[in-house]
Amino acid sequence: MQAVILSLFAVIGLVSAHFAVEYPAWRSDSLAENTTYSQWDYPCAGVPYGAGNKTEWPLEGGSVVLDLHHPWTYLYINLGLGENATNFNISLTPQLLNVTGSGNFCIPALSIPAAVADGQEASLQVVTNGESGSALYNCADIVFKSSAKPLSGGICTNSTGVTAAIVGQAATTNSSSTPTPTPTPNGALTVVSGGAQTIVMSVAFGFVLIMVM
Ligand SMILES: *[C@@H]1O[C@H](CO)[C@@H](O)[C@H](O)[C@H]1NC(C)=O
Ligand SMILES: *[C@@H]1O[C@H](CO)[C@@H](O)[C@H](O)[C@H]1NC(C)=O
Ligand SMILES: *[C@@H]1O[C@H](CO)[C@@H](O)[C@H](O)[C@H]1NC(C)=O
Ligand SMILES: *[C@@H]1O[C@H](CO)[C@@H](O)[C@H](O)[C@H]1NC(C)=O
Ligand SMILES: *[C@@H]1O[C@H](CO)[C@@H](O)[C@H](O)[C@H]1NC(C)=O
Ligand SMILES: *[C@@H]1O[C@H](CO)[C@@H](O)[C@H](O)[C@H]1NC(C)=O
Ligand SMILES: *[C@@H]1O[C@H](CO)[C@@H](O)[C@H](O)[C@H]1NC(C)=O
Ligand SMILES: [Cu+2]
């Protein structure tokens, strides 16, 4: 399988080169040809902690600017608290995004579903994947600062034709018509949370619903 991926990649070459994190500053340019970094490598493309700079990020959530190179990509962004975090177990994109188009994509302010204090060190893990399911990774190191502000205007833009949609939510339906798994009185609903994936199993209903978030 890996051989297939590698040979495909060799054919496609660097022309279809993955993605870049423009803001906050990524740990290192994982696309540079003079390194051993590879965006296929979990969790941070093989770039060691400490290789890059730390960006001050607002406590209430900051901006993320990506340069995407594929026609479309699934995107999720995870947060790991602490220095040299290896466990990126806080999802900042609870709903999987399908970003269509290549070029700049900016999320103006991602909210943080955890209590963070001024000076808290953390790392962002940006994950993209396509149809095959194989993922690409990049990390950016941040320090939460009450004085930091989200990006405004100019730097935070979406290139023409770059749009995002939440996977599984058709444009014609609204949230009240989205089916929601309901727990049964005897508690047959089990929620297993692990990393970026949440698996909801309802044994009583006789079906398994897997949501990749
Ligand atoms: C790789 O090349 C870039 C510019 O081409 C340079 O800035 C960087 O220092 C080089 N890195 C290594 C590890 O040689
Ligand atoms: C870190 O910031 C310094 C100063 O702005 C810059 O020269 C250097 O290239 C940055 N390092 C990385 C890995 O981006
Ligand atoms: C970060 O953690 C990894 C894995 O535990 C370890 O190998 C590495 O030396 C650490 N790096 C720093 C700068 O502490
Ligand atoms: C996330 O991982 C950290 C470090 O392993 C751990 O201390 C923390 O309890 C975890 N948080 C959640 C919500 O799983
Ligand atoms: C994601 O977007 C691409 C391009 O617009 C589309 O072909 C694909 O079907 C979408 N995937 C989902 C799950 O909506
Ligand atoms: C870019 O597009 C996404 C999804 O369509 C949207 O949420 C975001 O606000 C846009 N960014 C800017 C700077 O308008
Ligand atoms: C959402 O869908 C429901 C059921 O189809 C409908 O009753 C409701 O008015 C819709 N709400 C909005 C805001 O469109
Ligand atoms: Cu690529």
Side-chain angles (χ1 to χ4, degrees), residues 12-192:
I12 297 164
L14 286 170
V15 181
S16 69
H18 308 346
F19 75 102
V21 182
E22 303 203 323
Y23 186 89
W26 57 359
R27 234 172 237 189
S28 179
D29 180 356
S30 56
L31 297 171
E33 290 179 45
N34 58 351
T35 69
T36 56
Y37 304 148
S38 166
Q39 293 187 7
W40 299 110
D41 292 348
Y42 175 89
C44 294
V47 185
Y49 180 76
N53 294 317
K54 287 180 184 168
T55 303
E56 295 187 351
W57 233 49
L59 298 183
E60 59 282 4
S63 315
V64 170
V65 184
L66 306 176
D67 183 17
L68 302 170
H69 302 153
H70 292 181
W72 61 271
T73 186
Y74 297 141
L75 168 70
Y76 38 104
I77 302 175
N78 303 317
L79 176 74
L81 294 179
E83 288 191 71
N84 199 5
T86 49
N87 195 351
F88 298 88
N89 58 4
I90 300 169
S91 172
L92 303 185
T93 49
Q95 293 173 301
L96 178 67
L97 292 175
N98 185 4
V99 187
T100 300
S102 63
N104 269 30
F105 179 66
C106 177
I107 301 176
L110 277 169
S111 57
I112 311 292
V116 291
D118 192 52
Q120 168 76 58
E121 311 253 8
S123 298
L124 294 177
Q125 179 195 46
V126 183
V127 187
T128 68
N129 58 14
E131 232 159 357
S132 70
S134 55
L136 299 171
Y137 304 92
N138 273 305
C139 293
D141 302 305
I142 57 172
V143 50
F144 285 101
K145 281 285 179 190
S146 53
S147 56
K149 297 269 176 289
L151 295 180
S152 57
I155 323 166
C156 179
T157 55
N158 289 338
S159 296
T160 308
V162 175
T163 55
I166 295 165
V167 172
Q169 205 171 77
T172 49
T173 63
N174 63 34
S175 56
S176 65
S177 61
T178 304
T180 314
T182 316
T184 57
N186 62 6
L189 183 82
T190 318
V191 178
V192 185

